[in-house]
Amino acid sequence: LSVSQTPSAAPSLAAAPRAAGEVPGTPPLVTIRFDRPGVEYERSLYTALSQALELRPGAEFTVLAVSPAGGTAANVQLAQSQSRENAERVFRSMSDMGLPPDRVQLSATTSAGVSSNEVRIYVR
């Protein structure tokens, strides 16, 4: 699967070495791997958000665009751009699901530990 779930006015997308809401050692609520075209993530995302909001009704979320850090400068830049677009699409999906936009923060980073673009959602 390309989506993994760990139990438990649009903002701007800002680059960050460690995203706000990303706590070392704390797994993301959801990781969506955009490793192929047409990744379907909405159902898993909806389930994860519903469970998180059931436990913490006032929860806020960080949507983190993660792109591979390896390759040429042009490849890294292209991956960053695609990863940001993916994160913005996930943000729109969350808004369409009824989550107020002011409870979602978008951030972006690169990682040598990923081989394809990912979007990680953290509860904050």
Side-chain angles (χ1 to χ4, degrees), residues 16-83:
R18 179 164 306 283
E22 181 183 14
V23 179
T26 300
L29 176 68
V30 177
T31 298
I32 306 166
R33 289 178 186 84
F34 288 91
D35 53 359
R36 58 183 162 66
V39 172
E40 295 190 21
Y41 60 85
E42 287 88 355
R43 182 172 297 174
S44 295
L45 176 61
Y46 182 82
T47 300
L49 291 175
S50 296
Q51 291 172 349
L53 290 168
E54 192 173 304
L55 294 172
R56 288 184 45 200
E60 296 183 347
F61 301 89
T62 296
V63 176
L64 178 64
V66 183
S67 56
T72 66
N75 286 345
V76 170
Q77 187 172 9
L78 178 61
Q80 287 174 331
S81 176
Q82 291 170 336
S83 187

Short mmCIF file of all heavy atoms in Angstrom, two decimals, residues 16-83:
data_model
loop_
_atom_site.label_atom_id
_atom_site.label_comp_id
_atom_site.label_asym_id
_atom_site.label_seq_id
_atom_site.Cartn_x
_atom_site.Cartn_y
_atom_site.Cartn_z
N ALA A 16 11.24 23.65 6.01
CA ALA A 16 11.67 23.54 7.40
C ALA A 16 12.53 22.31 7.56
O ALA A 16 12.20 21.26 7.05
CB ALA A 16 10.45 23.43 8.32
N PRO A 17 13.66 22.44 8.27
CA PRO A 17 14.48 21.25 8.50
C PRO A 17 13.74 20.23 9.35
O PRO A 17 13.86 19.06 9.16
CB PRO A 17 15.72 21.79 9.22
CG PRO A 17 15.37 23.16 9.66
CD PRO A 17 14.22 23.64 8.82
N ARG A 18 12.95 20.68 10.30
CA ARG A 18 12.06 19.81 11.06
C ARG A 18 10.75 20.57 11.17
O ARG A 18 10.73 21.68 11.67
CB ARG A 18 12.62 19.50 12.45
CG ARG A 18 11.65 18.62 13.21
CD ARG A 18 12.22 17.94 14.43
NE ARG A 18 13.41 17.17 14.19
CZ ARG A 18 13.45 15.97 13.63
NH1 ARG A 18 12.35 15.40 13.22
NH2 ARG A 18 14.59 15.33 13.47
N ALA A 19 9.72 19.98 10.67
CA ALA A 19 8.44 20.68 10.62
C ALA A 19 7.86 20.85 12.01
O ALA A 19 8.04 20.01 12.88
CB ALA A 19 7.45 19.89 9.77
N ALA A 20 7.16 21.95 12.19
CA ALA A 20 6.43 22.15 13.44
C ALA A 20 5.43 21.01 13.55
O ALA A 20 4.76 20.67 12.59
CB ALA A 20 5.71 23.49 13.40
N GLY A 21 5.35 20.42 14.70
CA GLY A 21 4.44 19.30 14.88
C GLY A 21 5.11 17.96 14.66
O GLY A 21 4.60 16.94 15.09
N GLU A 22 6.26 17.94 14.01
CA GLU A 22 6.99 16.69 13.83
C GLU A 22 7.91 16.53 15.03
O GLU A 22 8.83 17.30 15.23
CB GLU A 22 7.81 16.72 12.54
CG GLU A 22 8.55 15.42 12.30
CD GLU A 22 9.42 15.45 11.06
OE1 GLU A 22 9.66 16.55 10.52
OE2 GLU A 22 9.85 14.38 10.65
N VAL A 23 7.62 15.54 15.85
CA VAL A 23 8.38 15.32 17.07
C VAL A 23 9.30 14.14 16.85
O VAL A 23 8.84 13.08 16.42
CB VAL A 23 7.42 15.05 18.25
CG1 VAL A 23 8.18 14.79 19.52
CG2 VAL A 23 6.44 16.19 18.42
N PRO A 24 10.60 14.29 17.12
CA PRO A 24 11.50 13.16 16.94
C PRO A 24 10.99 11.94 17.71
O PRO A 24 10.62 12.04 18.87
CB PRO A 24 12.83 13.65 17.52
CG PRO A 24 12.75 15.13 17.47
CD PRO A 24 11.28 15.46 17.64
N GLY A 25 10.94 10.81 17.04
CA GLY A 25 10.48 9.59 17.67
C GLY A 25 8.97 9.43 17.66
O GLY A 25 8.46 8.39 18.04
N THR A 26 8.24 10.44 17.24
CA THR A 26 6.78 10.33 17.13
C THR A 26 6.41 10.03 15.69
O THR A 26 6.74 10.80 14.80
CB THR A 26 6.11 11.66 17.55
OG1 THR A 26 6.47 11.94 18.90
CG2 THR A 26 4.60 11.57 17.43
N PRO A 27 5.76 8.90 15.46
CA PRO A 27 5.40 8.57 14.08
C PRO A 27 4.28 9.47 13.56
O PRO A 27 3.46 9.95 14.35
CB PRO A 27 4.94 7.12 14.17
CG PRO A 27 4.47 6.96 15.58
CD PRO A 27 5.31 7.90 16.41
N PRO A 28 4.25 9.67 12.27
CA PRO A 28 3.14 10.45 11.70
C PRO A 28 1.83 9.68 11.84
O PRO A 28 1.83 8.44 11.92
CB PRO A 28 3.53 10.62 10.23
CG PRO A 28 4.53 9.55 9.96
CD PRO A 28 5.19 9.22 11.25
N LEU A 29 0.74 10.41 11.87
CA LEU A 29 -0.59 9.80 11.88
C LEU A 29 -0.79 9.01 10.59
O LEU A 29 -1.29 7.89 10.59
CB LEU A 29 -1.67 10.88 12.02
CG LEU A 29 -3.12 10.42 11.95
CD1 LEU A 29 -3.46 9.57 13.17
CD2 LEU A 29 -4.04 11.63 11.86
N VAL A 30 -0.38 9.61 9.48
CA VAL A 30 -0.51 9.00 8.16
C VAL A 30 0.72 9.35 7.34
O VAL A 30 1.21 10.48 7.40
CB VAL A 30 -1.76 9.51 7.40
CG1 VAL A 30 -1.86 8.95 6.00
CG2 VAL A 30 -3.03 9.22 8.17
N THR A 31 1.22 8.39 6.56
CA THR A 31 2.25 8.63 5.55
C THR A 31 1.68 8.19 4.21
O THR A 31 1.26 7.04 4.06
CB THR A 31 3.54 7.85 5.85
OG1 THR A 31 4.07 8.29 7.11
CG2 THR A 31 4.59 8.09 4.77
N ILE A 32 1.66 9.12 3.27
CA ILE A 32 1.17 8.82 1.92
C ILE A 32 2.37 8.85 0.99
O ILE A 32 3.02 9.89 0.85
CB ILE A 32 0.11 9.84 1.46
CG1 ILE A 32 -1.03 9.93 2.48
CG2 ILE A 32 -0.40 9.48 0.07
CD1 ILE A 32 -1.93 11.14 2.28
N ARG A 33 2.68 7.73 0.37
CA ARG A 33 3.81 7.64 -0.55
C ARG A 33 3.30 7.85 -1.98
O ARG A 33 2.50 7.06 -2.48
CB ARG A 33 4.51 6.30 -0.41
CG ARG A 33 5.26 6.20 0.89
CD ARG A 33 5.93 4.85 1.10
NE ARG A 33 6.50 4.81 2.45
CZ ARG A 33 5.82 4.48 3.53
NH1 ARG A 33 4.56 4.14 3.45
NH2 ARG A 33 6.40 4.49 4.72
N PHE A 34 3.80 8.89 -2.61
CA PHE A 34 3.44 9.19 -3.99
C PHE A 34 4.50 8.56 -4.89
O PHE A 34 5.28 9.24 -5.54
CB PHE A 34 3.32 10.70 -4.19
CG PHE A 34 2.09 11.27 -3.54
CD1 PHE A 34 2.13 11.73 -2.23
CD2 PHE A 34 0.88 11.31 -4.21
CE1 PHE A 34 1.00 12.23 -1.60
CE2 PHE A 34 -0.27 11.82 -3.60
CZ PHE A 34 -0.21 12.27 -2.29
N ASP A 35 4.51 7.22 -4.90
CA ASP A 35 5.51 6.46 -5.64
C ASP A 35 5.02 5.98 -6.99
O ASP A 35 5.72 5.27 -7.70
CB ASP A 35 6.00 5.27 -4.80
CG ASP A 35 4.87 4.39 -4.30
OD1 ASP A 35 3.68 4.70 -4.57
OD2 ASP A 35 5.17 3.40 -3.61
N ARG A 36 3.79 6.37 -7.35
CA ARG A 36 3.21 6.02 -8.65
C ARG A 36 2.07 7.00 -8.92
O ARG A 36 1.58 7.65 -8.00
CB ARG A 36 2.70 4.59 -8.64
CG ARG A 36 1.68 4.31 -7.58
CD ARG A 36 1.24 2.85 -7.54
NE ARG A 36 0.59 2.49 -6.29
CZ ARG A 36 -0.57 2.94 -5.85
NH1 ARG A 36 -1.23 3.83 -6.54
NH2 ARG A 36 -1.08 2.54 -4.71
N PRO A 37 1.65 7.10 -10.18
CA PRO A 37 0.54 8.00 -10.50
C PRO A 37 -0.78 7.49 -9.91
O PRO A 37 -0.97 6.29 -9.73
CB PRO A 37 0.46 7.96 -12.04
CG PRO A 37 1.73 7.33 -12.49
CD PRO A 37 2.25 6.49 -11.37
N GLY A 38 -1.66 8.41 -9.58
CA GLY A 38 -3.01 8.06 -9.15
C GLY A 38 -3.10 7.41 -7.78
O GLY A 38 -3.97 6.56 -7.57
N VAL A 39 -2.25 7.80 -6.85
CA VAL A 39 -2.31 7.23 -5.50
C VAL A 39 -3.65 7.61 -4.87
O VAL A 39 -4.02 8.77 -4.82
CB VAL A 39 -1.14 7.75 -4.64
CG1 VAL A 39 -1.30 7.32 -3.19
CG2 VAL A 39 0.19 7.28 -5.20
N GLU A 40 -4.37 6.60 -4.40
CA GLU A 40 -5.65 6.83 -3.73
C GLU A 40 -5.42 6.78 -2.23
O GLU A 40 -5.05 5.75 -1.69
CB GLU A 40 -6.66 5.78 -4.17
CG GLU A 40 -6.99 5.91 -5.65
CD GLU A 40 -8.16 5.06 -6.07
OE1 GLU A 40 -8.97 4.67 -5.20
OE2 GLU A 40 -8.26 4.79 -7.26
N TYR A 41 -5.64 7.91 -1.60
CA TYR A 41 -5.34 8.03 -0.17
C TYR A 41 -6.52 8.54 0.64
O TYR A 41 -6.51 8.49 1.87
CB TYR A 41 -4.16 8.99 0.04
CG TYR A 41 -4.44 10.38 -0.49
CD1 TYR A 41 -5.10 11.33 0.27
CD2 TYR A 41 -4.07 10.73 -1.79
CE1 TYR A 41 -5.38 12.59 -0.23
CE2 TYR A 41 -4.34 11.99 -2.29
CZ TYR A 41 -5.00 12.91 -1.50
OH TYR A 41 -5.28 14.16 -2.01
N GLU A 42 -7.57 9.03 -0.02
CA GLU A 42 -8.63 9.74 0.66
C GLU A 42 -9.32 8.90 1.74
O GLU A 42 -9.57 9.40 2.84
CB GLU A 42 -9.68 10.28 -0.33
CG GLU A 42 -9.19 11.46 -1.14
CD GLU A 42 -8.46 11.05 -2.40
OE1 GLU A 42 -8.24 9.84 -2.63
OE2 GLU A 42 -8.08 11.95 -3.17
N ARG A 43 -9.64 7.65 1.45
CA ARG A 43 -10.37 6.83 2.43
C ARG A 43 -9.53 6.60 3.69
O ARG A 43 -10.02 6.77 4.80
CB ARG A 43 -10.76 5.48 1.81
CG ARG A 43 -11.57 4.62 2.77
CD ARG A 43 -12.10 3.40 2.11
NE ARG A 43 -13.01 3.84 1.06
CZ ARG A 43 -13.58 3.04 0.19
NH1 ARG A 43 -13.33 1.77 0.22
NH2 ARG A 43 -14.40 3.51 -0.73
N SER A 44 -8.27 6.24 3.52
CA SER A 44 -7.39 6.03 4.68
C SER A 44 -7.17 7.32 5.45
O SER A 44 -7.13 7.33 6.68
CB SER A 44 -6.04 5.45 4.25
OG SER A 44 -6.21 4.17 3.71
N LEU A 45 -7.02 8.43 4.72
CA LEU A 45 -6.85 9.73 5.36
C LEU A 45 -8.08 10.10 6.17
O LEU A 45 -7.97 10.52 7.33
CB LEU A 45 -6.56 10.80 4.30
CG LEU A 45 -6.43 12.23 4.80
CD1 LEU A 45 -5.29 12.38 5.79
CD2 LEU A 45 -6.24 13.19 3.62
N TYR A 46 -9.25 9.91 5.60
CA TYR A 46 -10.49 10.23 6.30
C TYR A 46 -10.61 9.41 7.59
O TYR A 46 -10.94 9.95 8.65
CB TYR A 46 -11.70 9.98 5.39
CG TYR A 46 -13.01 10.34 6.05
CD1 TYR A 46 -13.45 11.67 6.08
CD2 TYR A 46 -13.79 9.37 6.68
CE1 TYR A 46 -14.64 12.01 6.70
CE2 TYR A 46 -14.98 9.70 7.31
CZ TYR A 46 -15.40 11.02 7.30
OH TYR A 46 -16.57 11.36 7.93
N THR A 47 -10.33 8.12 7.50
CA THR A 47 -10.40 7.24 8.67
C THR A 47 -9.44 7.71 9.76
O THR A 47 -9.80 7.81 10.94
CB THR A 47 -10.09 5.78 8.28
OG1 THR A 47 -11.05 5.36 7.30
CG2 THR A 47 -10.14 4.86 9.47
N ALA A 48 -8.20 8.01 9.38
CA ALA A 48 -7.19 8.45 10.35
C ALA A 48 -7.58 9.77 11.00
O ALA A 48 -7.46 9.94 12.22
CB ALA A 48 -5.83 8.56 9.68
N LEU A 49 -8.04 10.73 10.19
CA LEU A 49 -8.45 12.03 10.74
C LEU A 49 -9.64 11.87 11.68
O LEU A 49 -9.67 12.48 12.75
CB LEU A 49 -8.79 13.00 9.61
CG LEU A 49 -7.65 13.48 8.75
CD1 LEU A 49 -8.17 14.35 7.60
CD2 LEU A 49 -6.62 14.24 9.56
N SER A 50 -10.60 11.05 11.29
CA SER A 50 -11.78 10.83 12.13
C SER A 50 -11.38 10.25 13.48
O SER A 50 -11.87 10.70 14.52
CB SER A 50 -12.76 9.88 11.43
OG SER A 50 -13.26 10.46 10.26
N GLN A 51 -10.49 9.26 13.47
CA GLN A 51 -10.05 8.65 14.72
C GLN A 51 -9.29 9.66 15.58
O GLN A 51 -9.48 9.72 16.80
CB GLN A 51 -9.18 7.42 14.44
CG GLN A 51 -9.98 6.27 13.86
CD GLN A 51 -9.11 5.12 13.39
OE1 GLN A 51 -7.89 5.22 13.30
NE2 GLN A 51 -9.75 4.01 13.06
N ALA A 52 -8.42 10.44 14.96
CA ALA A 52 -7.65 11.43 15.71
C ALA A 52 -8.57 12.48 16.33
O ALA A 52 -8.39 12.86 17.49
CB ALA A 52 -6.61 12.10 14.80
N LEU A 53 -9.55 12.93 15.57
CA LEU A 53 -10.46 13.96 16.07
C LEU A 53 -11.43 13.41 17.11
O LEU A 53 -11.91 14.15 17.97
CB LEU A 53 -11.22 14.61 14.92
CG LEU A 53 -10.34 15.48 14.02
CD1 LEU A 53 -11.08 15.85 12.74
CD2 LEU A 53 -9.89 16.74 14.77
N GLU A 54 -11.70 12.11 17.06
CA GLU A 54 -12.53 11.50 18.08
C GLU A 54 -11.80 11.50 19.43
O GLU A 54 -12.39 11.76 20.47
CB GLU A 54 -12.86 10.05 17.67
CG GLU A 54 -13.94 9.40 18.50
CD GLU A 54 -14.34 8.06 17.94
OE1 GLU A 54 -14.72 8.00 16.76
OE2 GLU A 54 -14.23 7.06 18.69
N LEU A 55 -10.48 11.25 19.38
CA LEU A 55 -9.68 11.25 20.60
C LEU A 55 -9.35 12.65 21.07
O LEU A 55 -9.29 12.92 22.28
CB LEU A 55 -8.37 10.47 20.37
CG LEU A 55 -8.52 8.97 20.12
CD1 LEU A 55 -7.19 8.36 19.71
CD2 LEU A 55 -9.07 8.29 21.37
N ARG A 56 -9.10 13.56 20.12
CA ARG A 56 -8.74 14.95 20.43
C ARG A 56 -9.54 15.88 19.53
O ARG A 56 -9.05 16.28 18.47
CB ARG A 56 -7.24 15.17 20.23
CG ARG A 56 -6.40 14.50 21.30
CD ARG A 56 -4.92 14.79 21.16
NE ARG A 56 -4.62 16.19 20.91
CZ ARG A 56 -3.48 16.61 20.38
NH1 ARG A 56 -2.53 15.77 20.03
NH2 ARG A 56 -3.26 17.89 20.19
N PRO A 57 -10.76 16.25 19.92
CA PRO A 57 -11.62 17.08 19.05
C PRO A 57 -10.99 18.39 18.58
O PRO A 57 -11.30 18.87 17.51
CB PRO A 57 -12.85 17.33 19.90
CG PRO A 57 -12.88 16.20 20.88
CD PRO A 57 -11.42 15.87 21.15
N GLY A 58 -10.09 18.96 19.38
CA GLY A 58 -9.47 20.23 19.01
C GLY A 58 -8.14 20.07 18.31
O GLY A 58 -7.40 21.05 18.16
N ALA A 59 -7.81 18.86 17.89
CA ALA A 59 -6.50 18.59 17.29
C ALA A 59 -6.23 19.46 16.07
O ALA A 59 -7.15 19.81 15.33
CB ALA A 59 -6.38 17.12 16.91
N GLU A 60 -4.97 19.81 15.92
CA GLU A 60 -4.51 20.51 14.73
C GLU A 60 -3.49 19.59 14.06
O GLU A 60 -2.96 18.67 14.69
CB GLU A 60 -3.89 21.85 15.11
CG GLU A 60 -4.91 22.78 15.71
CD GLU A 60 -4.35 24.16 16.03
OE1 GLU A 60 -3.11 24.34 16.01
OE2 GLU A 60 -5.16 25.06 16.29
N PHE A 61 -3.21 19.84 12.80
CA PHE A 61 -2.40 18.93 12.01
C PHE A 61 -1.32 19.66 11.23
O PHE A 61 -1.50 20.80 10.83
CB PHE A 61 -3.28 18.15 11.03
CG PHE A 61 -4.35 17.36 11.72
CD1 PHE A 61 -5.59 17.92 11.99
CD2 PHE A 61 -4.12 16.06 12.13
CE1 PHE A 61 -6.58 17.20 12.65
CE2 PHE A 61 -5.10 15.33 12.79
CZ PHE A 61 -6.33 15.90 13.05
N THR A 62 -0.20 18.98 11.03
CA THR A 62 0.85 19.44 10.15
C THR A 62 0.91 18.49 8.97
O THR A 62 0.98 17.27 9.15
CB THR A 62 2.22 19.46 10.86
OG1 THR A 62 2.17 20.40 11.93
CG2 THR A 62 3.33 19.86 9.89
N VAL A 63 0.84 19.04 7.77
CA VAL A 63 1.00 18.27 6.54
C VAL A 63 2.41 18.57 6.04
O VAL A 63 2.71 19.70 5.67
CB VAL A 63 -0.07 18.66 5.48
CG1 VAL A 63 0.17 17.93 4.18
CG2 VAL A 63 -1.46 18.38 6.02
N LEU A 64 3.25 17.55 6.07
CA LEU A 64 4.66 17.71 5.73
C LEU A 64 4.97 17.06 4.39
O LEU A 64 4.82 15.85 4.23
CB LEU A 64 5.54 17.08 6.83
CG LEU A 64 7.05 17.12 6.60
CD1 LEU A 64 7.56 18.57 6.58
CD2 LEU A 64 7.76 16.33 7.69
N ALA A 65 5.40 17.87 3.43
CA ALA A 65 5.85 17.37 2.13
C ALA A 65 7.30 16.92 2.29
O ALA A 65 8.14 17.71 2.69
CB ALA A 65 5.74 18.47 1.08
N VAL A 66 7.59 15.66 1.98
CA VAL A 66 8.94 15.12 2.10
C VAL A 66 9.39 14.67 0.72
O VAL A 66 8.72 13.86 0.08
CB VAL A 66 9.00 13.93 3.08
CG1 VAL A 66 10.43 13.44 3.24
CG2 VAL A 66 8.40 14.31 4.43
N SER A 67 10.54 15.20 0.28
CA SER A 67 11.08 14.80 -1.02
C SER A 67 12.49 14.24 -0.84
O SER A 67 13.18 14.60 0.11
CB SER A 67 11.08 15.98 -1.99
OG SER A 67 11.79 17.06 -1.45
N PRO A 68 12.91 13.35 -1.75
CA PRO A 68 14.26 12.79 -1.67
C PRO A 68 15.32 13.88 -1.78
O PRO A 68 15.18 14.83 -2.54
CB PRO A 68 14.34 11.83 -2.86
CG PRO A 68 12.92 11.57 -3.26
CD PRO A 68 12.16 12.80 -2.88
N ALA A 69 16.41 13.72 -1.03
CA ALA A 69 17.48 14.72 -1.03
C ALA A 69 18.58 14.36 -2.01
O ALA A 69 19.47 15.18 -2.26
CB ALA A 69 18.07 14.85 0.38
N GLY A 70 18.55 13.16 -2.58
CA GLY A 70 19.64 12.73 -3.46
C GLY A 70 19.41 13.11 -4.91
O GLY A 70 18.32 13.48 -5.32
N GLY A 71 20.48 13.02 -5.69
CA GLY A 71 20.39 13.31 -7.12
C GLY A 71 20.94 14.68 -7.46
O GLY A 71 21.51 15.38 -6.61
N THR A 72 20.74 15.06 -8.71
CA THR A 72 21.23 16.36 -9.16
C THR A 72 20.38 17.48 -8.55
O THR A 72 19.27 17.23 -8.08
CB THR A 72 21.15 16.48 -10.69
OG1 THR A 72 19.76 16.45 -11.07
CG2 THR A 72 21.89 15.35 -11.39
N ALA A 73 20.90 18.68 -8.59
CA ALA A 73 20.16 19.84 -8.06
C ALA A 73 18.82 19.98 -8.78
O ALA A 73 17.80 20.27 -8.15
CB ALA A 73 20.98 21.11 -8.20
N ALA A 74 18.81 19.74 -10.08
CA ALA A 74 17.57 19.84 -10.85
C ALA A 74 16.57 18.78 -10.41
O ALA A 74 15.37 19.06 -10.27
CB ALA A 74 17.85 19.72 -12.34
N ASN A 75 17.05 17.56 -10.18
CA ASN A 75 16.16 16.48 -9.73
C ASN A 75 15.59 16.77 -8.35
O ASN A 75 14.41 16.51 -8.09
CB ASN A 75 16.90 15.13 -9.72
CG ASN A 75 17.11 14.58 -11.11
OD1 ASN A 75 16.49 15.02 -12.07
ND2 ASN A 75 18.00 13.61 -11.22
N VAL A 76 16.42 17.29 -7.46
CA VAL A 76 15.96 17.62 -6.11
C VAL A 76 14.90 18.72 -6.18
O VAL A 76 13.86 18.63 -5.52
CB VAL A 76 17.14 18.04 -5.21
CG1 VAL A 76 16.65 18.64 -3.89
CG2 VAL A 76 18.07 16.86 -4.95
N GLN A 77 15.15 19.74 -7.00
CA GLN A 77 14.19 20.84 -7.14
C GLN A 77 12.86 20.34 -7.72
O GLN A 77 11.79 20.73 -7.25
CB GLN A 77 14.78 21.94 -8.00
CG GLN A 77 13.91 23.19 -8.04
CD GLN A 77 14.61 24.34 -8.75
OE1 GLN A 77 15.66 24.17 -9.36
NE2 GLN A 77 14.00 25.51 -8.67
N LEU A 78 12.92 19.47 -8.72
CA LEU A 78 11.70 18.92 -9.31
C LEU A 78 10.94 18.09 -8.27
O LEU A 78 9.72 18.22 -8.15
CB LEU A 78 12.05 18.06 -10.53
CG LEU A 78 10.86 17.38 -11.23
CD1 LEU A 78 9.87 18.42 -11.75
CD2 LEU A 78 11.35 16.49 -12.35
N ALA A 79 11.65 17.26 -7.52
CA ALA A 79 11.00 16.44 -6.49
C ALA A 79 10.36 17.32 -5.42
O ALA A 79 9.25 17.03 -4.96
CB ALA A 79 12.02 15.49 -5.86
N GLN A 80 11.04 18.41 -5.03
CA GLN A 80 10.47 19.32 -4.04
C GLN A 80 9.18 19.95 -4.56
O GLN A 80 8.19 20.05 -3.83
CB GLN A 80 11.47 20.42 -3.68
CG GLN A 80 12.61 19.93 -2.83
CD GLN A 80 13.68 21.01 -2.61
OE1 GLN A 80 13.87 21.89 -3.45
NE2 GLN A 80 14.38 20.92 -1.49
N SER A 81 9.19 20.36 -5.81
CA SER A 81 8.01 20.98 -6.40
C SER A 81 6.84 19.98 -6.44
O SER A 81 5.71 20.32 -6.06
CB SER A 81 8.34 21.48 -7.80
OG SER A 81 7.20 22.01 -8.41
N GLN A 82 7.12 18.76 -6.87
CA GLN A 82 6.07 17.74 -6.93
C GLN A 82 5.55 17.40 -5.54
O GLN A 82 4.36 17.21 -5.34
CB GLN A 82 6.60 16.49 -7.63
CG GLN A 82 6.85 16.70 -9.11
CD GLN A 82 7.60 15.54 -9.75
OE1 GLN A 82 8.31 14.79 -9.09
NE2 GLN A 82 7.45 15.41 -11.06
N SER A 83 6.46 17.32 -4.57
CA SER A 83 6.07 16.99 -3.21
C SER A 83 5.18 18.09 -2.62
O SER A 83 4.19 17.80 -1.94
CB SER A 83 7.32 16.79 -2.35
OG SER A 83 6.98 16.31 -1.08
#
